Amino acid sequence: MGWMNGHLHHFIVDGEFYNPPSEWDEFGNDYTGIKVKDILVEEGQNIRYEYDFGDSWLHQIKLEKIKKKGEKVSYPRCIKGKRACPPEDCGGIWGYMELVQIMKNKKHESYEDMYEWLGRELTPEHFEIERVNDKLLKKIMGYLNMNSY
């Protein structure tokens, strides 16, 4: 999603909760080592993902189509996407919608503060599939390097 992974989160699959490893969390399953391909095996299946229990970002990840692997293609791979990731800690959907409205109007009384907080313009409709796939590749390569010792 582009967030910093600094908030509590979990995945829900068929009523089962999968959480990051934690000493204090006795609810749900540790998702370490579980691969999406082992959970989503048929077209139409989905996973729910909740990030930041305070802001409560809810996502549905749906396996729409299983394609054959292409030669000379790195996996995992994003094949489609819409819109940019909302900024971390922007207040959930309601805070994000307010932020979008503020950033559309440079004369808004909160524009300068929000621009300083973001450090950039806000482009909610923008989606860069190449950037997403570069991040996926770097993440998987980092994971493989960490676990090759």
Side-chain angles (χ1 to χ4, degrees):
M1 287 300 302
W3 290 316
M4 303 303 292
N5 207 25
H7 292 280
L8 293 173
H9 60 278
H10 59 215
F11 297 89
I12 307 165
V13 183
D14 297 326
E16 293 280 327
F17 287 78
Y18 295 85
N19 309 312
S22 173
E23 299 167 5
W24 57 268
D25 188 4
E26 56 195 63
F27 305 103
N29 304 299
D30 176 352
Y31 63 55
T32 306
I34 297 174
K35 295 180 180 177
V36 172
K37 71 177 187 170
D38 297 331
I39 295 172
L40 296 179
V41 294
E42 295 179 12
E43 292 177 3
Q45 286 183 302
N46 62 65
I47 297 172
R48 288 184 46 128
Y49 171 59
E50 183 176 8
Y51 179 78
D52 187 347
F53 297 162
D55 286 354
S56 197
W57 290 102
L58 299 171
H59 305 81
Q60 179 177 319
I61 302 166
K62 183 176 182 181
L63 177 58
E64 293 185 354
K65 184 154 183 73
I66 298 173
K67 292 184 160 194
K68 291 184 180 181
K69 281 189 171 184
E71 291 183 34
K72 299 182 183 179
V73 176
S74 299
Y75 294 95
R77 183 161 199 78
C78 177
I79 58 171
K80 185 178 176 184
K82 292 180 184 175
R83 303 192 70 161
C85 175
E88 188 96 34
D89 293 324
C90 67
I93 188 67
W94 307 115
Y96 178 60
M97 296 309 293
E98 181 180 9
L99 177 64
V100 168
Q101 291 306 310
I102 290 169
M103 296 306 291
K104 283 182 180 178
N105 179 3
K106 291 185 179 187
K107 294 180 182 178
H108 191 284
E109 65 184 41
S110 297
Y111 178 86
E112 290 299 324
D113 290 336
M114 293 296 102
Y115 184 89
E116 186 177 328
W117 176 71
L118 281 171
R120 60 180 168 78
E121 292 289 330
L122 186 66
T123 54
E125 298 299 325
H126 188 72
F127 182 78
E128 291 181 70
I129 196 163
E130 297 85 12
R131 187 171 179 212
V132 169
N133 283 321
D134 285 346
K135 285 185 173 190
L136 284 170
L137 182 59
K138 287 176 185 171
K139 189 157 207 101
I140 196 69
M141 294 309 291
Y143 174 79
L144 292 174
N145 289 335
M146 285 184 346
N147 291 296
S148 62
Y149 296 103

